[in-house]
Amino acid sequence: MTTLWDTTGTAVVQALAAKRRSGGAVTSGLALTLVVVLEEKDTADVEAAVATASAKHPMRVIMVLRHHIDAPVPRLDAEVSIGGRLGPGEAVVLRMFGRLALHAESVTLPLLAPDAPVVAWWYSETPKVIANDPLGVFADRRITNVIRDAAPAASLQQRAIDYAPGDTDLTWTVITPWRAALAAAFDTASSPATSVTVSGNPQDPSAQLLAGWLTSRLGIPVPVEKAEGKYIVAVAVEFEDGRTVQMTNEGYKLLMRRPGQLDTIQPFPQRTTGDMLAEELRRLDDDQPYGEALGAVSGLTGLNDRPAVRTHIWHDPALAQQEA
């Protein structure tokens, strides 16, 4: 690893090139560039997630940490490595101080892998308007995680208001096992569903998105009924022919009950952030089912018909605080 203190963007580019030459890295082998926006306190969690994801996807990782935008003197500290704690790929950690933090793209853009898609991931608090962050404007895919925001349900609504094709959220990725199990149950159905209920925490964005996905797929309103627990507890389905299906999360096992048939149990493990990040990086096209589910949750229509390209909207947090 090469550490650069009080450096410049040009020096970081040169250090990465030198590392690649000495390590024999091949740019054409990179599938994407992952730009991660995080806070210092979350560094260990993000590094663990990135190491897991980069083991499955050859990529260049650029971690951006913004510090003290009101500092009188801007400064850039950087770490450049190939292999190591951030996985087998190429990695650059950028710590930006002062007003430089508001212009992170000036340092980040020259470091993007050529001819490779760019994915931006906000591990920490999501910007209210993604276009306010230039790191989200040049990205082809944008991953947020509203469960880490102060008010997750309100943040999910804001994600719908601010949505553009290419956006997704890890609270959507959380419910992939639920969606797979429900899709398998509907594959064997001989009549349409007439009633579906999701049981769990009505304020949980994953429960809301699961209900929104079912609403968008089935064309019937699917409520989230309050139940004990922080997340999704069960899903109940009634079909037109009188058949019913009850799926319950029984502590890392999914129990499916159908009258007249033996109960079935399948593994339902809790996945790590790295596993979910790796899943999102498997597809770099627009996630239209997420857009439809988000539209059903928020009541907004035509989310997937919006322009996919954002234009940067200048936003200075210091000025915003003064105006407030």
Side-chain angles (χ1 to χ4, degrees):
M1 181 180 70
T2 299
T3 303
L4 305 171
W5 302 104
D6 197 5
T7 186
T8 64
T10 300
V12 176
V13 172
Q14 292 172 346
L16 178 60
K19 274 287 184 184
R20 295 187 65 256
R21 286 193 298 270
S22 62
V26 180
T27 303
S28 60
L30 298 176
L32 60 102
T33 299
L34 176 66
V35 180
V36 190
V37 183
L38 69 153
E39 297 177 5
E40 195 70 51
K41 62 183 177 61
D42 298 320
T43 302
D45 293 339
V46 171
E47 288 182 351
V50 167
T52 299
S54 63
K56 301 175 182 179
H57 303 282
M59 60 182 173
R60 180 176 294 172
V61 179
I62 303 174
M63 296 173 56
V64 177
L65 298 93
R66 296 174 167 120
H67 293 273
H68 311 299
I69 64 168
D70 55 348
V73 179
R75 192 179 89 236
L76 172 66
D77 297 338
E79 300 174 15
V80 180
S81 63
I82 296 179
R85 70 180 192 278
L86 292 175
E90 305 171 3
V92 180
V93 180
L94 303 171
R95 289 180 169 85
M96 303 180 184
F97 299 82
R99 304 292 291 180
L100 175 63
L102 299 179
H103 303 277
E105 77 284 1
S106 63
V107 181
T108 306
L109 279 170
L111 293 169
L112 302 180
D115 302 320
V118 179
V119 180
W121 175 34
W122 290 267
Y123 181 82
S124 305
E125 186 176 1
T126 307
K128 185 176 181 179
V129 178
I130 286 180
N132 286 342
D133 190 340
L135 299 180
V137 173
F138 63 67
D140 301 287
R141 286 291 307 276
R142 297 156 296 274
I143 304 172
T144 54
N145 192 11
V146 298
I147 198 64
R148 293 186 57 82
D149 292 342
S155 291
L156 187 64
Q157 293 291 325
Q158 178 58 29
R159 297 277 51 82
I161 295 170
D162 188 50
Y163 179 84
D167 293 358
T168 194
D169 195 275
L170 286 186
T171 54
W172 167 252
T173 322
V174 165
I175 62 173
T176 297
W178 277 106
R179 291 188 288 129
L182 285 163
F186 280 102
D187 280 345
T188 60
S190 57
S191 64
T194 56
S195 174
V196 183
T197 302
V198 176
S199 299
N201 178 4
Q203 297 301 311
D204 173 30
S206 290
Q208 293 179 0
L209 283 171
L210 182 60
W213 174 70
L214 288 165
T215 297
S216 66
R217 296 291 92 187
L218 302 175
I220 59 176
V222 177
V224 179
E225 292 189 351
K226 185 175 178 57
E228 290 296 328
K230 295 174 61 178
Y231 306 112
I232 302 168
V233 175
V235 178
V237 184
E238 296 180 6
F239 294 91
E240 194 175 70
D241 60 5
R243 198 167 62 91
T244 62
V245 174
Q246 175 83 20
M247 294 184 177
T248 308
N249 186 356
E250 302 270 346
Y252 308 120
K253 298 187 296 293
L254 185 68
L255 176 63
M256 181 187 298
R257 293 187 175 92
R258 290 168 289 187
Q261 300 184 46
L262 293 175
D263 294 347
T264 60
I265 300 175
Q266 68 181 63
F268 215 58
Q270 183 175 1
R271 298 185 297 162
T272 66
T273 303
D275 291 332
M276 292 188 289
L277 177 63
E279 177 187 324
E280 283 301 328
L281 296 180
R282 279 201 294 269
R283 56 173 301 165
L284 298 176
D285 55 335
D286 300 341
D287 193 343
Q288 294 186 347
Y290 168 69
E292 293 167 357
L294 190 60
V297 171
S298 63
L300 300 176
T301 59
L303 268 61
N304 287 322
D305 296 328
R306 295 178 179 178
V309 178
R310 284 185 166 93
T311 301
H312 181 223
I313 302 171
W314 173 249
H315 174 71
D316 190 331
L319 293 177
Q321 290 177 1
Q322 293 176 7
E323 292 172 359

